Amino acid sequence: MKEKIQSLRRQIDVLNINILELLSERAEVAERIGEAQTTLGLSHYDPAREQEMLEAIVAANKGPFDEPTVKSLFKQIFQASMQLEDDHDKEKYLTSRTLDHEDTVVRVGDVHIGSNHSPVLIAGPCALESREQVLLTAEYVASKGVSLFRGGAFKPRTDPYSFQGLGEGGLRLGREACDQYGLKFVTEIMDPRDIGMFIEYVDVLQIGARNMQNFMLLKAVGNTDKPVILKRGLSATIEEWVMAAEYLLSAGNPNIILCERGIRTFEKYTRNTLDVSAVALAKLETHLPVLVDVVHSGGRRDLLVALTKAGLAVGADGIMIEVHPNPAVALSDNKQQIDFDTFDRYLEETGYHKKLSIKRHEVYGF
Ligand code: PEP
Ligand code: MN
């Protein structure tokens, strides 16, 4: 009897290999269909076709497996083939975290953003307003260990009659302050025609939420090798945000940093809703560093510490915050910027004064 079992098992071994060979052959054909569908812009999932195949299989089934079992086995095969086709589609995307793609680390001078580097802090006023305001803020944040200074010279304002920024004069001031205090300058570019001017003054180009799908701007910025912070659009899906990053990468710029800055929801207690799952998902789906702008997301000073902790807990590679010597008289976002004393407390309460100098895993254990 034992010998009989041995002999039957040898038959099963051969059949297993035959099934595997057939499955692999089937998968290759499915891949060819998938490629053709992708070329035609068609979906890989075709429920009518699945139904047709299942009916033919069930009709040909002579047992001993019953109909539900056969159906479930084949559905499993269909599912696996479709996964293969979807995975192939993703391979062409430069943002995609294919199995062997390591975390991108963007270097800004000697600051490393991404992977296991300690989370960065980008601080500075909403808008660059005057020489005094710019120099005072730059000096202060630099004295606290911050290396990246933010401040808008070209401001995307809802109201066309409100302060629009100092323009090139603001860029010049930002550069001067950063050089004086050993900072790197982060500022928003709105018009692709300004690229030459920005390159002269700026260390990191920011693409604002309102311009996330300005494709001409994305292409122009993608043509440079300057580090870029790409804000998520006000109502952009994660896919649209990642596709915007794809524009930058496909134009040749590998130094892309994503930034979640809150999205529009029905909530009124906050200016926007910080989408923490988007931060985690962007890190899962792409290899790019991801920041959290805790200012424009909540729009409230009393949320800055909590949102910072939340952002870092879901894996953010850094935080952006707005600091102003006297927020009450700020020419933009005066309700959400914080003064120097509050910034001090923020650093204390978030533990950021420590995070600025040591490795991420030493702070979080991951
Ligand atoms: C900013 O960071 O200055 C800004 C305008 O932010 P957002 O584009 O996210 O609104
Ligand atoms: Mn602002």
Side-chain angles (χ1 to χ4, degrees):
M1 212 38 150
K2 269 196 180 154
E3 272 192 11
K4 191 167 180 199
I5 292 177
Q6 286 298 340
S7 139
L8 288 169
R9 280 188 168 162
R10 274 193 294 278
Q11 278 185 53
I12 290 275
D13 288 343
V14 173
L15 285 166
N16 280 345
I17 300 302
N18 288 347
I19 292 171
L20 178 66
E21 279 170 4
L22 280 172
L23 281 175
S24 305
E25 196 181 325
R26 187 192 184 286
E28 279 167 23
V29 178
E31 281 178 322
R32 297 221 302 272
I33 295 175
E35 279 163 25
Q37 284 169 327
T38 302
T39 311
L40 294 173
L42 299 173
S43 160
H44 298 311
Y45 181 53
D46 184 345
R49 169 71 185 147
E50 271 203 10
Q51 189 56 33
E52 186 186 295
M53 286 192 290
L54 283 176
E55 278 166 17
I57 291 161
V58 166
N61 180 29
K62 297 190 193 81
F65 287 131
D66 63 12
E67 185 179 319
T69 308
V70 168
K71 271 190 173 168
S72 115
L73 285 170
F74 273 88
K75 275 189 184 165
Q76 204 53 35
I77 295 171
F78 299 166
Q79 184 68 34
S81 301
M82 209 167 66
Q83 188 62 49
L84 215 53
E85 294 164 26
D86 286 344
D87 288 350
H88 280 314
D89 282 357
K90 282 192 185 157
E91 272 166 19
K92 72 168 182 285
Y93 290 105
L94 302 170
T95 40
S96 166
R97 184 185 277 290
T98 45
L99 283 181
D100 56 349
H101 202 303
E102 295 191 352
D103 286 344
T104 286
V105 174
V106 176
R107 290 188 57 167
V108 184
D110 54 11
V111 182
H112 293 70
I113 308 173
S115 194
N116 62 352
H117 292 279
S118 67
V120 294
L121 182 59
I122 303 175
C126 177
L128 304 169
E129 299 172 0
S130 68
R131 189 181 167 77
E132 194 196 6
Q133 176 244 19
V134 177
L135 290 172
L136 264 178
T137 317
E139 182 183 19
Y140 195 77
V141 298
S143 76
K144 296 290 160 185
V146 168
S147 327
L148 300 162
F149 180 72
R150 62 146 289 145
F154 291 81
K155 296 299 299 175
R157 305 304 302 282
T158 303
D159 181 341
Y161 306 116
S162 60
F163 179 58
Q164 303 285 306
L166 297 176
E168 185 168 2
L171 294 182
R172 214 174 294 124
L173 274 180
R175 181 72 268 153
E176 182 193 332
C178 286
D179 287 345
Q180 192 161 331
Y181 298 109
L183 294 159
K184 297 294 173 193
F185 184 26
V186 181
T187 196
E188 176 167 354
I189 179 167
M190 295 202 294
D191 189 330
R193 290 168 299 186
D194 291 341
I195 199 91
M197 176 172 69
F198 271 71
I199 297 290
E200 254 183 74
Y201 297 107
V202 168
D203 299 302
V204 180
L205 296 165
Q206 180 172 314
I207 295 181
R210 290 155 193 81
N211 271 310
M212 188 204 82
Q213 281 188 319
N214 179 338
F215 298 114
M216 298 313 285
L217 180 63
L218 293 172
K219 285 179 186 171
V221 168
N223 261 318
T224 75
D225 59 3
K226 281 274 179 202
V228 181
I229 292 177
L230 176 66
K231 294 276 197 99
R232 180 179 180 190
L234 274 67
S235 299
T237 64
I238 297 170
E239 189 180 12
E240 287 164 342
W241 183 31
V242 172
M243 283 300 166
E246 189 71 29
Y247 266 89
L248 293 162
L249 288 177
S250 64
N253 190 336
N255 302 311
I256 311 305
I257 303 160
L258 297 168
C259 181
E260 158 65 27
R261 47 80 70 208
I263 47 169
R264 282 253 164 101
T265 67
F266 50 79
E267 185 50 64
K268 290 190 186 149
Y269 277 20
T270 48
R271 179 171 169 181
N272 293 289
T273 298
L274 175 63
D275 184 359
V276 283
S277 57
V279 179
L281 272 168
K283 297 221 32 124
L284 281 176
E285 298 269 325
T286 81
H287 48 83
L288 302 173
V290 184
L291 305 179
V292 171
D293 172 344
V294 290
V295 202
H296 298 93
S297 44
R300 295 174 58 134
R301 293 187 187 110
D302 55 359
L303 284 182
L304 295 175
V305 170
L307 297 187
T308 297
K309 289 179 179 171
L312 294 176
V314 288
D317 299 294
I319 299 291
M320 179 181 279
I321 190 164
E322 288 181 347
V323 183
H324 191 287
N326 187 359
V329 299
L331 298 177
S332 60
D333 284 351
N334 63 352
K335 288 199 188 66
Q336 66 193 31
Q337 303 200 58
I338 52 173
D339 62 18
F340 296 170
D341 286 347
T342 315
F343 183 55
D344 258 358
R345 281 203 303 282
Y346 166 86
L347 292 177
E348 224 21 77
E349 287 171 31
T350 54
Y352 232 119
H353 57 302
K354 288 192 223 127
K355 295 182 182 76
L356 290 173
S357 56
I358 57 178
K359 290 271 183 198
R360 177 177 194 100
H361 67 272
E362 289 169 14
V363 182
Y364 303 105
F366 57 82

